[in-house]
Amino acid sequence: MASEKPIVAVTCTAPVNIAVIKYWGKRDEELILPINSSLSVTLHQDQLKTTTTAAISKDFAEDRIWLNGQEEDVGQPRLQACLREIRRLARKRRSSGDEDPLPLSVSYKVHVASVNNFPTAAGLASSAAGYACLAYALARVYGVESDLSEVARRGSGSACRSLHGGFVEWQMGERADGKDSVARQVAPELHWPELRVLILVVSAEKKLMGSTVGMQTSVETSPLLRFRAKAVVPARMAEMTRCIKERDFQGFGQLTMKDSNQFHATCLDTFPPISYLSDTSRRIIHLVHRFNAHHGQTKVAYTFDAGPNAVIFTLDNTVAEFVAALRHSFPPESNGDKFLKGLPVRPAPLSDELKAALGMDPTPGGVKYIIATQVGPGPQILDDPHAHLLGPDGLPKPAV
């Protein structure tokens, strides 16, 4: 009987997602409702994932949370919003007269431990994976089976997109209460097996402005952002969906780059202006366009979020040559062997024609390292009890 156990724990993993049609701007700060729909690609958890254990027990005195081994303030408003929402759903399910496996659990306090298998400092969307993972684990431990879009979204808007694998749209919704602002899968993770993703981690200069504040300022001051949301994004959502369904890389790549560029244009149109791209980011943009021009077609595409790191989409038959072009343009400083992480990439020669076409002076160390990955599945439950990050006492297990 589950109710006999002093502690009920669930551990799961959730993925990072990368938007190809960008979310920037909320119409409701409290409920985290966006001013436009967005579309993303879920990355594989073999390379990037958050692992979270949620445990409830009648013996816990208070809610507690540990991130990457450090205890954090459980009172942060977004965390509280997630907890409130999941408990509301759990109570709703109880009162609907369903059979009741964990009678008192809704009132039990929860302990949560979460770790990322990638450096948070790298500026990779860790909040999306983190809150999707939290929502998924809490739902399991409290016996909630409904759509978790709202729970995850209250933590971090883009987190609702990490609840699914493959290609995912976050529909902005119309309702004031946000009930129709939900994430839906557009195509499953095995739909486009040739697609590859390279994350280029650029010298991690600390961000001057986080995305929450940046977004708010943009909504208040950028007429371009309002125009984008109303007049540009709806058609782009439809076009991007078509490109994905038809596996049209040329269309997918060009639209991904254009939408990234427009997002960064709205940042510059914000007052005072926001600039997330660094000199290295701009060199990567230049490199991609030169590479494509040399081949006479769009073979690689970039996208940038609220930071200088580039995410590159390409097909498996182009990865080796493009990585060679990156090594040529951004020679690794010292970590030659650690420069490329994730999926293996065979070394490839760079033709003299391509070298000439790139026409850039090398910038040693401009790219710190590359993570090679691919499209992946949504959150997963880990059944192995050894995977739990919390021990039987509900406290983090000591690092082995």
Side-chain angles (χ1 to χ4, degrees):
M1 280 274 293
S3 53
E4 306 290 294
K5 286 190 193 161
I7 174 171
V8 177
V10 174
T11 298
C12 65
T13 66
V16 168
N17 74 77
I18 299 294
V20 289
I21 300 292
K22 302 295 190 191
Y23 149 56
W24 192 252
K26 304 180 187 67
R27 65 176 192 275
D28 186 312
E29 291 282 338
E30 169 70 15
L31 296 177
I32 308 200
L33 302 177
I35 61 171
N36 62 266
S37 297
S38 55
L39 202 152
S40 62
V41 180
T42 298
L43 304 187
H44 205 287
Q45 294 171 60
D46 284 354
Q47 283 74 46
L48 300 166
K49 67 171 184 237
T50 296
T51 305
T52 299
T53 299
I56 53 175
S57 165
K58 63 177 189 326
D59 301 327
F60 293 164
E62 55 186 354
D63 295 330
R64 295 177 72 183
I65 186 163
W66 292 264
L67 298 184
N68 294 317
Q70 294 291 314
E71 185 157 15
E72 302 281 331
D73 171 22
V74 79
Q76 345 171 16
R78 290 186 170 197
L79 188 55
Q80 284 299 316
C82 273
L83 286 168
R84 264 200 313 278
E85 188 56 27
I86 203 82
R87 284 166 171 153
R88 184 184 69 75
L89 290 169
R91 271 192 293 273
K92 193 168 123 187
R93 184 170 174 256
R94 297 286 181 270
S95 60
S96 66
D98 287 353
E99 84 305 343
D100 200 350
L102 304 169
L104 299 164
S105 63
V106 184
S107 58
Y108 289 177
K109 299 298 183 192
V110 66
H111 285 190
V112 174
S114 191
V115 296
N116 298 331
N117 74 340
F118 55 92
T120 317
L124 305 172
S126 55
S127 67
Y131 276 108
C133 207
L134 178 66
Y136 202 77
L138 289 173
R140 289 298 164 116
V141 79
Y142 281 122
V144 169
E145 282 161 12
S146 46
D147 184 334
L148 300 177
S149 284
E150 181 158 14
V151 184
R153 200 190 68 223
R154 297 294 292 271
S156 172
S158 52
C160 67
R161 298 189 309 242
S162 278
L163 291 169
H164 303 280
F167 302 83
V168 183
E169 67 170 325
W170 174 14
Q171 300 165 347
M172 63 177 285
E174 302 295 326
R175 295 175 46 152
D177 65 5
K179 296 293 176 210
D180 56 352
S181 187
V182 292
R184 293 273 176 267
Q185 189 180 71
V186 170
E189 72 254 28
L190 300 175
H191 167 73
W192 199 347
E194 300 80 13
L195 196 64
R196 293 290 177 273
V197 184
L198 300 172
I199 298 164
L200 313 189
V201 178
V202 168
S203 341
E205 309 147 40
K206 179 119 174 60
K207 254 192 276 190
L208 287 172
M209 179 171 289
S211 44
T212 302
V213 181
M215 230 178 255
Q216 216 165 349
T217 317
S218 293
V219 169
E220 288 160 11
T221 63
S222 169
L224 180 56
L225 183 66
R226 290 187 279 274
F227 175 78
R228 164 180 164 73
K230 268 219 249 322
V232 181
V233 170
R236 283 189 173 177
M237 288 290 294
E239 172 68 2
M240 187 62 86
T241 301
R242 180 197 68 76
C243 291
I244 289 166
K245 294 210 156 132
E246 296 176 10
R247 301 184 195 86
D248 166 7
F249 187 80
Q250 300 258 337
F252 172 85
Q254 287 181 33
L255 189 52
T256 293
M257 293 187 281
K258 287 177 178 176
D259 205 71
S260 174
N261 294 341
Q262 187 174 83
F263 155 54
H264 289 280
T266 65
C267 290
L268 279 183
D269 190 48
T270 300
F271 198 80
I274 306 170
S275 179
Y276 286 118
L277 304 180
S278 67
D279 283 346
T280 302
S281 312
R282 284 181 276 275
R283 284 200 172 91
I284 292 165
I285 290 172
H286 186 72
L287 172 72
V288 167
H289 287 290
R290 287 273 173 111
F291 186 95
N292 288 336
H294 171 74
H295 284 290
Q297 55 171 307
T298 300
K299 296 195 76 165
V300 286
Y302 54 78
T303 187
F304 294 82
D305 288 321
N309 294 331
V311 177
I312 302 289
F313 291 97
T314 187
L315 298 177
D316 55 357
N317 60 8
T318 309
V319 173
E321 188 188 26
F322 188 70
V323 167
L326 284 167
R327 275 189 193 273
H328 170 75
S329 305
F330 305 100
E333 263 174 338
S334 53
N335 61 343
D337 53 332
K338 302 209 175 59
F339 185 61
L340 189 63
K341 305 168 192 275
L343 298 176
V345 176
R346 57 180 176 78
L350 208 54
S351 71
D352 289 339
E353 296 81 32
L354 182 50
K355 273 184 198 166
L358 296 180
M360 299 162 62
D361 289 331
T363 310
V367 172
K368 292 289 177 231
Y369 58 91
I370 301 171
I371 303 170
T373 183
Q374 58 193 337
V375 185
Q380 311 280 309
I381 294 279
L382 300 183
D383 288 321
D384 175 8
H386 293 106
H388 289 330
L389 303 174
L390 296 169
D393 57 357
L395 298 174
K397 292 181 180 171
V400 180

